[in-house]
């Protein structure tokens, strides 16, 4: 379980750590880096970048995070590869799929996956670990499963080609049951852990 701590203060994260949570997700680069630095003495924590990533912010992600969930173009993957310090393990990356084909959402179409995966998998400094998706909201369980099953199928197909593929990041507070049923290995939970967010101070 990935605790999505974006916009939440370090005091909330400290409470989650006290309950045994070790993996946290951040959407805003500088906010995430500030929190990583704050908790730098706790080597058990694993930090995931899960927001849209612009070219001018790739170095901060490459130098500070352990995971990046939102790869949707080769340019970003190349920058992360080049900017990952040799002193750190390879940056774990996920390809983001726009599974609901929404114009407003980041991610690639499933038809583009094979080509991008082939290009990313050979880059040094990063390690392709799987897929991520943020489906359009669906209120019914069956409708959620119908969409998420497409991700499960794509994930299994990718696994058959690349032995290191082991992570399917999908499912949030409102659809985590359906996501788990469809093979999610990493659910991103924010509201159910930390409560509603205040976006008035976005980074």
């Amino acid at each position: 379980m990935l605790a999505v701590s974006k916009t939440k203060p370090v005091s909330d994260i400290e409470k989650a750590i006290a309950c045994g949570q070790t993996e946290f997700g951040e959407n805003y680069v500088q906010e995430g880096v500030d929190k990583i630095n704050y908790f730098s003495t706790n080597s058990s924590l694993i930090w995931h970048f899960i927001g849209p990533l612009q070219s001018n912010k790739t170095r901060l992600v490459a130098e500070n995070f352990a995971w990046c969930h939102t790869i949707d173009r080769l340019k970003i993957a190349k920058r992360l590869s080049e900017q990952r310090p040799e002193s750190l393990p390879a940056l774990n990356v996920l390809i983001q799929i726009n599974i609901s084909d929404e114009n407003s959402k980041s991610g690639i179409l499933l038809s583009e996956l094979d080509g991008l995966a082939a290009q990313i998998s050979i880059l040094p400094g990063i390690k392709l670990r799987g897929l991520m998706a943020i489906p359009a909201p669906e209120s019914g369980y069956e409708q959620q499963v119908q969409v998420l099953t497409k991700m499960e199928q794509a994930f299994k197909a990718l696994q058959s080609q690349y032995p290191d593929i082991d992570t399917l990041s999908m499912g949030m507070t409102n659809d985590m049951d359906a996501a788990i049923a469809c093979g999610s290995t990493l659910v991103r939970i924010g509201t159910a852990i930390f409560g509603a967010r205040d976006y008035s101070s976005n980074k």
Side-chain angles (χ1 to χ4, degrees):
M1 182 175 67
L2 183 63
V4 179
S5 47
K6 64 177 181 178
T7 77
K8 293 299 180 178
V10 294
S11 57
D12 284 3
I13 298 174
E14 287 172 334
K15 293 174 184 176
I17 293 171
C19 293
Q21 181 66 29
T22 58
E23 304 207 25
F24 294 89
E26 291 288 332
N27 282 56
Y28 308 112
V29 176
Q30 190 58 58
E31 178 189 348
V33 171
D34 290 346
K35 290 174 180 176
I36 291 170
N37 290 334
Y38 181 88
F39 290 104
S40 60
T41 58
N42 189 337
S43 61
S44 67
L45 303 184
I46 300 172
W47 295 91
H48 300 241
F49 184 73
I50 60 174
L53 183 55
Q54 298 172 335
S55 296
N56 63 346
K57 297 290 182 70
T58 54
R59 183 175 295 279
L60 285 172
V61 171
E63 293 179 347
N64 292 278
F65 287 83
W67 288 76
C68 181
H69 288 221
T70 51
I71 304 298
D72 62 0
R73 54 196 189 277
L74 182 60
K75 176 184 177 181
I76 296 295
K78 283 183 173 179
R79 289 179 66 87
L80 291 171
S81 171
E82 294 165 357
Q83 294 167 346
R84 184 68 169 178
E86 292 184 4
S87 59
L88 295 178
L91 177 69
N92 298 297
V93 301
L94 304 177
I95 294 175
Q96 182 174 356
I97 305 295
N98 186 348
I99 194 62
S100 300
D101 195 14
E102 297 177 274
N103 291 334
S104 61
K105 287 280 180 69
S106 301
I108 64 169
L109 301 178
L110 279 176
S111 60
E112 301 171 290
L113 174 56
D114 287 347
L116 185 58
Q119 292 172 311
I120 289 176
S121 65
I122 60 174
L123 294 175
I126 63 175
K127 185 175 184 180
L128 180 59
R129 294 287 296 273
L131 303 176
M132 185 274 260
I134 307 173
E138 297 283 357
S139 57
Y141 179 85
E142 294 302 326
Q143 288 85 356
Q144 292 172 354
V145 167
Q146 188 174 5
V147 175
L148 294 169
T149 296
K150 298 177 185 176
M151 284 298 300
E152 182 181 26
Q153 293 169 346
F155 177 65
K156 288 181 177 178
L158 199 64
Q159 276 187 313
S160 69
Q161 300 178 64
Y162 303 98
D164 292 330
I165 299 297
D166 59 7
T167 302
L168 180 55
S169 171
M170 66 182 189
M172 296 184 285
T173 297
N174 293 325
D175 64 354
M176 61 179 168
D177 290 340
I180 292 168
C182 292
S184 174
T185 66
L186 189 67
V187 289
R188 307 181 304 273
I189 308 300
T191 303
I193 296 174
F194 297 110
R197 291 191 182 83
D198 176 7
Y199 285 101
S200 62
S201 59
N202 281 6
K203 306 295 185 292

